[in-house]
PDB file of all heavy atoms in Angstrom:
ATOM      1  N   TYR A 116      24.763  31.866 -32.295  1.00 95.00           N
ATOM      2  CA  TYR A 116      24.912  33.042 -31.268  1.00 95.00           C
ATOM      3  C   TYR A 116      23.931  32.760 -30.047  1.00 95.00           C
ATOM      4  O   TYR A 116      24.155  33.319 -28.987  1.00 95.00           O
ATOM      5  CB  TYR A 116      24.693  34.360 -31.826  1.00 95.00           C
ATOM      6  CG  TYR A 116      23.343  34.629 -32.517  1.00 95.00           C
ATOM      7  CD1 TYR A 116      22.218  35.028 -31.863  1.00 95.00           C
ATOM      8  CD2 TYR A 116      23.263  34.358 -33.937  1.00 95.00           C
ATOM      9  CE1 TYR A 116      21.058  35.246 -32.511  1.00 95.00           C
ATOM     10  CE2 TYR A 116      22.059  34.594 -34.565  1.00 95.00           C
ATOM     11  CZ  TYR A 116      20.943  35.005 -33.875  1.00 95.00           C
ATOM     12  OH  TYR A 116      19.774  35.236 -34.473  1.00 95.00           O
ATOM     13  N   PHE A 117      22.886  31.895 -30.249  1.00 96.00           N
ATOM     14  CA  PHE A 117      22.038  31.611 -29.156  1.00 96.00           C
ATOM     15  C   PHE A 117      21.332  30.270 -29.493  1.00 96.00           C
ATOM     16  O   PHE A 117      20.125  30.283 -29.933  1.00 96.00           O
ATOM     17  CB  PHE A 117      20.983  32.733 -28.917  1.00 96.00           C
ATOM     18  CG  PHE A 117      20.472  32.630 -27.401  1.00 96.00           C
ATOM     19  CD1 PHE A 117      21.261  33.215 -26.421  1.00 96.00           C
ATOM     20  CD2 PHE A 117      19.350  31.949 -27.086  1.00 96.00           C
ATOM     21  CE1 PHE A 117      20.840  33.183 -25.029  1.00 96.00           C
ATOM     22  CE2 PHE A 117      18.855  31.960 -25.736  1.00 96.00           C
ATOM     23  CZ  PHE A 117      19.570  32.553 -24.775  1.00 96.00           C
ATOM     24  N   GLY A 118      22.049  29.121 -29.191  1.00 95.00           N
ATOM     25  CA  GLY A 118      21.511  27.795 -29.511  1.00 95.00           C
ATOM     26  C   GLY A 118      20.814  27.218 -28.272  1.00 95.00           C
ATOM     27  O   GLY A 118      20.593  27.904 -27.254  1.00 95.00           O
ATOM     28  N   ILE A 119      20.686  25.880 -28.285  1.00 95.00           N
ATOM     29  CA  ILE A 119      20.043  25.182 -27.259  1.00 95.00           C
ATOM     30  C   ILE A 119      20.792  25.268 -25.945  1.00 95.00           C
ATOM     31  O   ILE A 119      20.141  25.406 -24.797  1.00 95.00           O
ATOM     32  CB  ILE A 119      19.843  23.673 -27.683  1.00 95.00           C
ATOM     33  CG1 ILE A 119      19.037  22.966 -26.635  1.00 95.00           C
ATOM     34  CG2 ILE A 119      21.153  22.964 -27.913  1.00 95.00           C
ATOM     35  CD1 ILE A 119      17.591  23.278 -26.570  1.00 95.00           C
ATOM     36  N   LEU A 120      22.158  25.226 -25.985  1.00 96.00           N
ATOM     37  CA  LEU A 120      22.990  25.256 -24.724  1.00 96.00           C
ATOM     38  C   LEU A 120      22.855  26.669 -24.188  1.00 96.00           C
ATOM     39  O   LEU A 120      22.789  26.789 -22.932  1.00 96.00           O
ATOM     40  CB  LEU A 120      24.364  24.929 -25.002  1.00 96.00           C
ATOM     41  CG  LEU A 120      24.673  23.369 -25.175  1.00 96.00           C
ATOM     42  CD1 LEU A 120      26.119  23.140 -25.296  1.00 96.00           C
ATOM     43  CD2 LEU A 120      24.057  22.519 -24.107  1.00 96.00           C
ATOM     44  N   HIS A 121      22.888  27.682 -25.005  1.00 97.00           N
ATOM     45  CA  HIS A 121      22.739  29.068 -24.449  1.00 97.00           C
ATOM     46  C   HIS A 121      21.371  29.222 -23.800  1.00 97.00           C
ATOM     47  O   HIS A 121      21.302  29.816 -22.691  1.00 97.00           O
ATOM     48  CB  HIS A 121      22.838  30.074 -25.714  1.00 97.00           C
ATOM     49  CG  HIS A 121      24.080  30.003 -26.428  1.00 97.00           C
ATOM     50  ND1 HIS A 121      24.352  28.894 -27.314  1.00 97.00           N
ATOM     51  CD2 HIS A 121      25.150  30.759 -26.520  1.00 97.00           C
ATOM     52  CE1 HIS A 121      25.571  29.143 -27.887  1.00 97.00           C
ATOM     53  NE2 HIS A 121      26.079  30.253 -27.474  1.00 97.00           N
ATOM     54  N   CYS A 122      20.345  28.676 -24.438  1.00 97.00           N
ATOM     55  CA  CYS A 122      19.034  28.822 -23.865  1.00 97.00           C
ATOM     56  C   CYS A 122      18.923  28.075 -22.571  1.00 97.00           C
ATOM     57  O   CYS A 122      18.357  28.553 -21.543  1.00 97.00           O
ATOM     58  CB  CYS A 122      17.967  28.219 -24.917  1.00 97.00           C
ATOM     59  SG  CYS A 122      16.297  28.466 -24.459  1.00 97.00           S
ATOM     60  N   ILE A 123      19.425  26.850 -22.480  1.00 97.00           N
ATOM     61  CA  ILE A 123      19.499  26.110 -21.281  1.00 97.00           C
ATOM     62  C   ILE A 123      20.174  26.831 -20.100  1.00 97.00           C
ATOM     63  O   ILE A 123      19.735  26.912 -18.993  1.00 97.00           O
ATOM     64  CB  ILE A 123      20.124  24.714 -21.405  1.00 97.00           C
ATOM     65  CG1 ILE A 123      19.145  23.864 -22.370  1.00 97.00           C
ATOM     66  CG2 ILE A 123      20.347  24.012 -20.057  1.00 97.00           C
ATOM     67  CD1 ILE A 123      19.728  22.452 -22.681  1.00 97.00           C
ATOM     68  N   ALA A 124      21.309  27.495 -20.486  1.00 97.00           N
ATOM     69  CA  ALA A 124      22.091  28.172 -19.440  1.00 97.00           C
ATOM     70  C   ALA A 124      21.285  29.338 -18.831  1.00 97.00           C
ATOM     71  O   ALA A 124      21.208  29.515 -17.650  1.00 97.00           O
ATOM     72  CB  ALA A 124      23.429  28.677 -20.079  1.00 97.00           C
ATOM     73  N   VAL A 125      20.708  30.123 -19.695  1.00 97.00           N
ATOM     74  CA  VAL A 125      19.878  31.361 -19.225  1.00 97.00           C
ATOM     75  C   VAL A 125      18.637  30.876 -18.446  1.00 97.00           C
ATOM     76  O   VAL A 125      18.341  31.478 -17.422  1.00 97.00           O
ATOM     77  CB  VAL A 125      19.552  32.286 -20.396  1.00 97.00           C
ATOM     78  CG1 VAL A 125      18.667  33.403 -19.987  1.00 97.00           C
ATOM     79  CG2 VAL A 125      20.831  32.796 -21.066  1.00 97.00           C
ATOM     80  N   LEU A 126      17.950  29.861 -18.986  1.00 97.00           N
ATOM     81  CA  LEU A 126      16.725  29.360 -18.358  1.00 97.00           C
ATOM     82  C   LEU A 126      17.081  28.764 -17.015  1.00 97.00           C
ATOM     83  O   LEU A 126      16.190  28.888 -16.040  1.00 97.00           O
ATOM     84  CB  LEU A 126      15.995  28.450 -19.275  1.00 97.00           C
ATOM     85  CG  LEU A 126      15.240  29.009 -20.457  1.00 97.00           C
ATOM     86  CD1 LEU A 126      14.662  27.969 -21.296  1.00 97.00           C
ATOM     87  CD2 LEU A 126      14.200  30.056 -19.998  1.00 97.00           C
ATOM     88  N   THR A 127      18.197  28.122 -16.938  1.00 97.00           N
ATOM     89  CA  THR A 127      18.615  27.577 -15.610  1.00 97.00           C
ATOM     90  C   THR A 127      18.808  28.611 -14.597  1.00 97.00           C
ATOM     91  O   THR A 127      18.374  28.511 -13.445  1.00 97.00           O
ATOM     92  CB  THR A 127      19.917  26.679 -15.782  1.00 97.00           C
ATOM     93  OG1 THR A 127      19.536  25.613 -16.704  1.00 97.00           O
ATOM     94  CG2 THR A 127      20.400  26.147 -14.435  1.00 97.00           C
ATOM     95  N   PHE A 128      19.428  29.720 -14.972  1.00 95.00           N
ATOM     96  CA  PHE A 128      19.624  30.841 -14.087  1.00 95.00           C
ATOM     97  C   PHE A 128      18.306  31.425 -13.666  1.00 95.00           C
ATOM     98  O   PHE A 128      18.107  31.822 -12.484  1.00 95.00           O
ATOM     99  CB  PHE A 128      20.574  31.899 -14.834  1.00 95.00           C
ATOM    100  CG  PHE A 128      21.102  32.950 -13.842  1.00 95.00           C
ATOM    101  CD1 PHE A 128      22.134  32.767 -12.957  1.00 95.00           C
ATOM    102  CD2 PHE A 128      20.490  34.239 -13.831  1.00 95.00           C
ATOM    103  CE1 PHE A 128      22.643  33.710 -12.155  1.00 95.00           C
ATOM    104  CE2 PHE A 128      20.913  35.212 -12.947  1.00 95.00           C
ATOM    105  CZ  PHE A 128      22.077  34.914 -12.156  1.00 95.00           C
ATOM    106  N   ILE A 129      17.406  31.605 -14.636  1.00 97.00           N
ATOM    107  CA  ILE A 129      16.101  32.181 -14.357  1.00 97.00           C
ATOM    108  C   ILE A 129      15.305  31.257 -13.559  1.00 97.00           C
ATOM    109  O   ILE A 129      14.623  31.616 -12.523  1.00 97.00           O
ATOM    110  CB  ILE A 129      15.304  32.459 -15.658  1.00 97.00           C
ATOM    111  CG1 ILE A 129      16.018  33.567 -16.423  1.00 97.00           C
ATOM    112  CG2 ILE A 129      13.841  32.905 -15.336  1.00 97.00           C
ATOM    113  CD1 ILE A 129      15.391  33.823 -17.847  1.00 97.00           C
ATOM    114  N   GLY A 130      15.425  29.922 -13.778  1.00 97.00           N
ATOM    115  CA  GLY A 130      14.602  28.979 -13.084  1.00 97.00           C
ATOM    116  C   GLY A 130      14.966  28.873 -11.622  1.00 97.00           C
ATOM    117  O   GLY A 130      14.102  28.677 -10.727  1.00 97.00           O
TER     118      GLY A 130
END
Side-chain angles (χ1 to χ4, degrees):
Y116 57 89
F117 204 83
I119 185 73
L120 287 184
H121 303 73
C122 188
I123 289 174
V125 175
L126 285 176
T127 297
F128 192 77
I129 294 172

